[in-house]
Amino acid sequence: MRLTSFTDFGLRMLMRMAGDPSRAFSSAELAADLGLSRNHLAKIIQHLARAGLIDTWRGGGGGAMLARSAAEIRLGQIIRLLEEGQPLVECFGTEGGTCSIEARCRLKTRLRSAEAAFLADLDRSTLADIALAPQEKSAGTLVVPQ
Amino acid sequence: MRLTSFTDFGLRMLMRMAGDPSRAFSSAELAADLGLSRNHLAKIIQHLARAGLIDTWRGGGGGAMLARSAAEIRLGQIIRLLEEGQPLVECFGTEGGTCSIEARCRLKTRLRSAEAAFLADLDRSTLADIALAPQEKSAGTLVVPQ
DNA sequence: TGGAATGGGTATTTACAATACCTATTAGCA
DNA sequence: TGCTAATAGGTATTGTAAATACCCATTCCA
């Protein structure tokens, strides 16, 4: 049982944006922040933008920003979106007609139910619950820039 | 969100064995039945045998057979076993120490909870519930062997 | 109008699931 | 009690798709 790194990275990006929802993040900044390639991140941003979860602006001072309040975005919704087209088992896919036991298979129902339970559990939380607060300097310790 | 075909095939094999629990299935028979390569299936059989879910015998007339009643084997247990070493996200793996937000990450808890919900839902059913009855000839129709 | 940012297509790499091959082991039988 | 047939089980190879890199068009701001 595995989520793609596409989803993994997408979630971390959103967590970061949710931690500072009033400003736009450039893909370069997010990439540096998370230690990932800008190009790869850009793909994820596009996907999220197309789905209306974030807004993006080109040009100088552009970037990406949550389109809605983080408290209104449920985690299940995010995962559903990022894992789009990733069937739990092959026969759940668009061309999964190769199963020899199709008609007699009582497994599919159980798997769908379990998948739903997974997402329902995630839907109990919102993006606001996992927002990543801006890096905090440890209190009481003076940080001396070198 | 995806299960490996290793798991997929393993489940179908077990469904088949549960449908006729009193006899041993050779890997060749199961492979032919499910339309898969014998070698691949053998790997799965080995894994299940090592975990004590099935018993195997070598030599002429050998094969594999459920070690316990199908009603005692919960689906979650099977999936946990077959998906062993397949972390939901990279940082759940054995060497997932590369995450830059480790300490501040509030996502992990939610994912673990959702994963548990997934398995718990499956645990509501047993292998007996999805046993694959031996291929049934349509009633009233005489099947003439060629 | 130039620079900075995203959009989005294409090409490449790489990891690992899936498969094939080969050897060791076992049980039945002559 | 050796011989044969069948399976278990290990190792090597292949294939596929995710992950990554690269490039250029487009857009907006200063």
Side-chain angles (χ1 to χ4, degrees):
Chain A
M1 184 174 174
R2 173 162 240 183
L3 302 178
T4 62
S5 72
F6 189 88
T7 299
D8 193 4
F9 298 161
L11 278 167
R12 292 197 221 167
M13 262 183 20
L14 288 170
M15 287 165 73
R16 184 81 187 79
M17 290 192 217
D20 209 345
S22 59
R23 72 179 182 90
F25 290 80
S26 78
S27 61
E29 179 186 357
L30 288 168
D33 239 44
L34 301 175
L36 303 170
S37 98
R38 195 189 72 81
N39 297 289
H40 195 205
L41 238 64
K43 292 283 161 60
I44 307 175
I45 293 177
Q46 286 170 31
H47 195 79
L48 292 170
R50 248 190 295 255
L53 222 60
I54 60 179
D55 290 324
T56 60
W57 294 271
R58 292 186 175 186
M65 194 176 193
L66 292 184
R68 291 181 266 155
S69 153
E72 291 171 27
I73 304 177
R74 310 226 148 251
L75 295 191
Q77 184 190 2
I78 300 173
I79 304 248
R80 258 180 283 257
L81 186 64
L82 291 168
E83 288 286 309
E84 202 169 66
Q86 195 76 238
L88 187 62
V89 285
E90 198 211 347
C91 68
F92 280 16
T94 45
E95 45 196 291
T98 53
C99 181
S100 58
I101 57 175
E102 183 71 48
R104 297 171 293 147
C105 183
R106 284 180 289 176
L107 174 61
K108 283 177 94 163
T109 314
R110 321 275 161 159
L111 285 178
R112 287 203 194 281
S113 160
E115 193 178 19
F118 177 83
L119 292 168
D121 190 87
L122 284 169
D123 275 336
R124 291 169 50 209
S125 307
T126 72
L127 183 54
D129 296 321
I130 62 166
L132 196 62
Q135 186 90 44
E136 204 171 298
K137 310 296 178 214
S138 46
T141 304
L142 185 62
V143 178
V144 183
Q146 307 202 356
Chain B
M1 184 172 172
R2 172 163 240 184
L3 302 177
T4 62
S5 71
F6 189 89
T7 299
D8 193 5
F9 298 161
L11 278 167
R12 292 198 222 167
M13 262 182 20
L14 289 170
M15 287 165 74
R16 184 83 187 75
M17 290 193 216
D20 208 345
S22 59
R23 71 179 183 88
F25 289 79
S26 78
S27 60
E29 179 186 356
L30 288 168
D33 239 45
L34 302 175
L36 303 170
S37 99
R38 195 187 73 79
N39 298 288
H40 195 207
L41 237 64
K43 291 285 162 57
I44 308 175
I45 293 177
Q46 287 170 32
H47 196 79
L48 292 170
R50 247 191 295 256
L53 222 61
I54 61 179
D55 290 324
T56 60
W57 294 273
R58 293 186 174 186
M65 193 176 192
L66 290 184
R68 292 182 264 156
S69 154
E72 291 171 27
I73 304 177
R74 310 226 148 252
L75 295 191
Q77 184 188 2
I78 300 174
I79 303 247
R80 258 180 284 257
L81 187 64
L82 291 168
E83 288 287 308
E84 201 169 66
Q86 196 76 236
L88 187 62
V89 285
E90 198 211 348
C91 68
F92 279 16
T94 46
E95 44 197 293
T98 52
C99 179
S100 59
I101 57 175
E102 184 70 48
R104 297 170 292 147
C105 182
R106 282 180 290 178
L107 174 61
K108 282 177 93 164
T109 314
R110 321 275 162 161
L111 285 179
R112 286 203 195 282
S113 161
E115 193 177 19
F118 177 83
L119 292 167
D121 190 86
L122 285 170
D123 274 337
R124 291 169 51 209
S125 308
T126 71
L127 183 53
D129 296 322
I130 61 166
L132 196 61
Q135 186 90 45
E136 204 171 299
K137 309 298 176 209
S138 43
T141 304
L142 184 63
V143 178
V144 182
Q146 308 200 355

